[in-house]
Amino acid sequence: ILAGANGVAIEAESNSNYELNVGLPTETSLEKNYPNPFNPSTTIDYSIAKPGNVSLVIYDLNGSTVKTLVNDFVTANNYSVAWDGKNDNGQQVASGQYFYVMQAPGFNSTEYMTLIK
């Protein structure tokens, strides 16, 4: 309720429709891990612009799956995941180079990293 001259009520109506996405990513991306080279663990940051199924998998240089870090439906947001140098069976992997692949709706990217013991 608004009041005009001499306190007389004035009728007013307001409609506002807007969407506020503060801090949500506008592009899907995969960052380089840090630290790199690493021992004993490393961190991988990634951003998802559109909700969907996302996978982030570490492979050895022969293309064999070492560790699946993410395999889930995720919402638009910024994420971070750590890898402790262990495979899907919980065993420590050997020193060497590995690559990680992220797949998301309309996105596919690969990065390389080095584990040093």
Side-chain angles (χ1 to χ4, degrees):
I1 299 176
L2 295 175
N6 298 323
V8 177
I10 300 172
E11 291 196 32
E13 187 175 313
S14 174
N15 282 329
S16 297
N17 275 337
Y18 57 91
E19 189 173 318
L20 187 59
N21 288 326
V22 176
L24 291 179
T26 57
E27 292 183 5
T28 298
S29 65
L30 174 64
E31 304 301 323
K32 293 189 178 293
N33 64 299
Y34 61 91
N36 189 25
F38 71 95
N39 180 7
S41 66
T42 189
T43 301
I44 302 168
D45 294 336
Y46 60 99
S47 299
I48 304 298
K50 297 177 184 176
N53 292 319
V54 173
S55 69
L56 180 56
V57 181
I58 298 172
Y59 298 92
D60 63 21
L61 293 180
N62 294 322
S64 298
T65 300
V66 174
K67 178 78 174 183
T68 300
L69 297 175
V70 178
N71 188 20
D72 207 357
F73 182 90
V74 300
T75 59
N77 212 337
N78 298 302
Y79 295 91
S80 183
V81 64
W83 182 44
D84 60 3
K86 295 182 181 175
N87 64 20
D88 280 330
N89 296 322
Q91 300 165 323
Q92 186 66 45
V93 300
S95 294
Q97 288 193 312
Y98 296 86
F99 63 98
Y100 54 104
V101 177
M102 186 176 98
Q103 294 180 324
F107 181 86
N108 191 353
S109 184
T110 302
E111 294 289 346
Y112 290 86
M113 62 181 150
T114 303
L115 169 60
I116 297 177
K117 292 187 179 183

